Amino acid sequence: MSIFDQTIKRRFTNSVKWDAMKMVYGLNDASEILPMWVADMDFAAPTAVSKALQEHAERTVFGYSFMSEEAIQSIVDWQNTRHDWQIDKDSIVFCNGVVAALANSIVAFTNPGDKVLISTPVYPPFFNIPKSNGREVVSCPLVEKNDGKFIVDFEAFEQALAQNVKAYILCNPHNPGGYVWDEATLKEIVRLCAQYDVLIISDEIHADLMINGEKHIPIAKIAGDEINRIVTCMAPTKTFNLAGIQVSYMIVPDKKKRLQLEAVNMASGQGSLNTFASVALQAAYTEGTPWLDELLPYISANMDYVKAELEQIPGIRIIKPQSTYLIWIDYRELKLEEKDIMKRLLEIGQLALEPGTKYGEEGRGFLRMNVACSFETVRDGVERFKKAFEQ
């Protein structure tokens, strides 16, 4: 029996995933709804992390703190061991979360009115954050191949860059699709962004969640002489289910850019991270590998089950993700409107998934399902999905 077979009760714990559905989905009552929407796991964090946090809590004084040298070194060691990427510890800039890191980068390196490029469908903050900061979002949609996977249309990508774009936000690996970008794709992104003098802000928060032996390639690792135009945003939070700790970091090789980011932090009154951040990060990166190595095949098996079961429904298609714990369900052949799909799922199946248009218009006809939960919960979710489509 796997440690991940345990079903942890999370309702009434102020969990966004479990306790905010009534507000998010506009329901009168969400008590019977199964949440498989927002991207956090229903698994307990590694024991080593919980132990380290408990020991820290017993110190009873929670004053101002800073990231320890040991925590910083654990990042360097993790990137080297996990991704064969050698980074300089001086290149690390800390932040409260990857979304905050994206926002700080947009503010630091672009001006109001500047154009920011994204590839849709994509994680909603990619278009919300630039817009909220007065930037213009330019979308270059991914293109679907015959096998159902999506790729970058580089002709359209270059045309978009030529519109005086100042920054490109890359999702590497891709959310919601779960695609792992290959080296050739990443090198072409770097080449074109260099040609048009565009900064690359790379969200690599799902880098550690590689399925079936896939390998993550940090874009900065293969950027060569263009490494200084890249800001890489990473965190242990998705990897080890620590989202509530709110700790992330940016790897910024260019010293000038690091100073710009620090200036943004100062201007917005952002001080040090919370006192538990350093403790959780260090414990995860130094002692969390066995937990993660057991997690990945468990998620892969959940994905295989969902794909096998749901594709028995005529009109449902699933391409197994190469990364993340999120499944991108294609229901376009059903010829049903998104509002009707969501109504069926919520009212008949009592199942909460994410509608594809949340990720841009290119997501219409898709649903996102989170399978980072016990197999028992996954099986329940599949049965609820089927029930919604019995008619």
Side-chain angles (χ1 to χ4, degrees), residues 199 223-231 252-255 257:
L199 175 78
D225 293 340
E226 298 300 330
I227 191 170
N228 284 343
R229 71 170 62 253
I230 297 172
V231 173
V252 190
D254 183 34
K255 183 177 180 179
K257 288 185 175 62

Side-chain angles (χ1 to χ4, degrees), residues 110-121:
T110 66
N111 296 310
D114 282 350
K115 294 179 179 179
V116 176
L117 179 63
I118 62 173
S119 299
T120 49

Side-chain angles (χ1 to χ4, degrees), residues 162-374:
Q163 299 177 36
N164 197 29
V165 163
K166 297 301 182 184
Y168 171 57
I169 310 179
L170 169 67
C171 200
N172 177 33
H174 185 259
N175 172 19
Y179 314 120
V180 173
W181 303 119
D182 60 30
E183 186 169 343
T185 296
L186 296 174
K187 283 187 172 180
E188 185 65 1
I189 289 172
V190 171
R191 186 187 73 81
L192 288 172
C193 286
Q195 180 179 332
Y196 290 91
D197 193 23
V198 173
L199 175 78
I200 300 172
I201 305 169
S202 186
D203 175 355
E204 304 192 9
I205 195 171
H206 289 105
D208 302 321
L209 296 168
M210 296 288 113
I211 304 300
N212 291 355
E214 293 284 346
K215 297 296 182 183
H216 173 71
I217 303 174
I219 191 169
K221 177 182 172 182
I222 53 88
D225 293 340
E226 298 300 330
I227 191 170
N228 284 343
R229 71 170 62 253
I230 297 172
V231 173
T232 305
C233 306
M234 307 185 92
T237 50
K238 289 291 185 220
T239 307
F240 297 103
N241 203 29
L242 305 173
I245 300 294
Q246 295 188 327
V247 55
S248 72
Y249 53 92
M250 293 169 276
I251 299 171
V252 190
D254 183 34
K255 183 177 180 179
K256 180 181 178 181
K257 288 185 175 62
R258 294 200 297 272
L259 293 174
Q260 288 175 274
L261 283 167
E262 289 168 4
V264 168
N265 285 342
M266 293 291 290
S268 60
Q270 297 181 48
S272 60
L273 299 182
N274 75 78
T275 187
F276 292 97
S278 179
V279 174
L281 181 146
Q282 182 181 338
Y285 279 162
T286 57
E287 301 182 72
T289 295
W291 183 93
L292 179 59
D293 289 346
E294 185 174 344
L295 169 77
L296 297 177
Y298 192 94
I299 289 173
S300 179
N302 280 352
M303 289 177 171
D304 290 338
Y305 176 79
V306 171
K307 177 176 170 63
E309 292 293 318
L310 294 192
E311 286 191 334
Q312 294 178 23
I313 302 172
I316 296 293
R317 184 187 188 192
I318 295 171
I319 305 299
K320 184 179 179 179
Q322 298 168 293
S323 179
T324 78
Y325 45 76
L326 307 164
I327 295 181
W328 194 228
I329 301 171
D330 182 352
Y331 67 84
R332 289 172 295 179
E333 290 185 12
L334 295 178
K335 307 298 182 184
L336 292 173
E337 294 294 324
E338 183 174 86
K339 60 181 178 61
D340 297 325
I341 289 283
M342 294 302 295
K343 183 179 176 67
R344 281 173 174 260
L345 289 170
L346 289 167
E347 295 184 3
I348 301 175
Q350 295 188 310
L351 177 66
L353 303 184
E354 291 217 305
T357 56
K358 184 174 180 178
Y359 303 87
E361 183 58 31
E362 292 76 17
R364 188 172 296 280
F366 292 84
L367 298 161
R368 196 186 77 165
M369 173 185 276
N370 176 352
V371 296
C373 46
S374 69

